[in-house]
Amino acid sequence: MMKRIFDTIISLLALILLIPLFLFLIIWIIIDSHGGFFYVQKRVGKSGKDFGLLKFRTMYTGSDSKGLLTVGMEDPRITKPGKILRKYKMDELPQLLNVIAGQMSIVGPRPEVRKYVELYNDDQKKVLEVRPGLTDYASLMYMNENEILGSSPDPEYAYIHEIMPAKLELNLKYIREKSFTTDLRIIIKTIRGIISSKPD
């Protein structure tokens, strides 16, 4: 209950403070390319239930038909604003609305698409026992996931057999250690990581 109250208050305050940034990004996205400013993708949440994860659109409309994984910042499907939004994780900001709706927490395992959740073993499925989050240990460890996949000769294989299992281990570590103090530590490290991202 305490975590839910914290999530709601922080998300509401963040949304209020970020209104000017949201308006700027919405206008930039719409002017740059055809399509809406939000992108909604079906992800798997707590108890294995699907929900619509919100993001600022960073790809040209219809790009997800060409694959679910993003392979590096040079992926031709990514728009000009999208490169900046992805680099500084600003495309994830609309998920504060998912948090307010109770579909996500600020800290928790990142929600996955159904295609990959179907590959989880019984132990890995434990990550579905908690609300997914905006950030966690795996998010911190794999902030450059797109670049890793971009350098792989087979991004799909690398994700399924290398990155995803490692991320799930970190997700399970978070579940074992989760506490208010742990959440605060992860939030602070996430903010530091984003701020320290070097411009191209």
Side-chain angles (χ1 to χ4, degrees), residues 55-151:
K55 288 188 175 188
F56 280 125
R57 182 174 60 83
T58 59
M59 288 187 170
Y60 294 103
T61 303
S63 292
D64 50 0
S65 65
K66 301 175 183 177
L68 296 173
L69 295 178
T70 308
V71 289
M73 287 301 181
E74 298 309 314
D75 189 319
R77 296 173 297 167
I78 302 176
T79 62
K80 290 179 181 178
K83 292 182 180 181
I84 301 298
L85 267 62
R86 283 172 173 262
K87 183 172 182 61
Y88 295 101
K89 309 299 181 184
M90 290 186 287
D91 59 318
E92 312 283 357
L93 291 176
Q95 287 159 45
L96 291 167
L97 295 169
N98 289 120
V99 175
I100 291 171
Q103 299 162 327
M104 294 179 69
S105 289
I106 292 176
V107 180
R110 288 294 296 164
E112 188 58 271
V113 296
R114 176 69 60 183
K115 172 183 176 180
Y116 298 120
V117 171
E118 295 297 333
L119 302 175
Y120 290 2
N121 61 38
D122 288 342
D123 191 46
Q124 292 168 338
K125 287 178 181 176
K126 291 177 182 177
V127 301
L128 303 177
E129 295 175 3
V130 299
R131 280 194 185 93
L134 302 178
T135 184
D136 73 333
Y137 289 137
S139 301
L140 292 170
M141 182 67 69
Y142 288 95
M143 275 192 166
N144 63 336
E145 180 181 320
N146 287 342
E147 283 74 13
I148 295 173
L149 291 174
S151 63

Side-chain angles (χ1 to χ4, degrees), residues 25 99 169:
L25 294 177
V99 175
E169 280 299 317

Side-chain angles (χ1 to χ4, degrees), residues 11-29:
S11 296
L12 282 170
L13 288 174
L15 281 171
I16 292 170
L17 291 172
L18 291 169
I19 285 175
L21 177 61
F22 268 55
L23 291 174
F24 171 77
L25 294 177
I26 287 170
I27 293 170
W28 190 19
I29 292 167

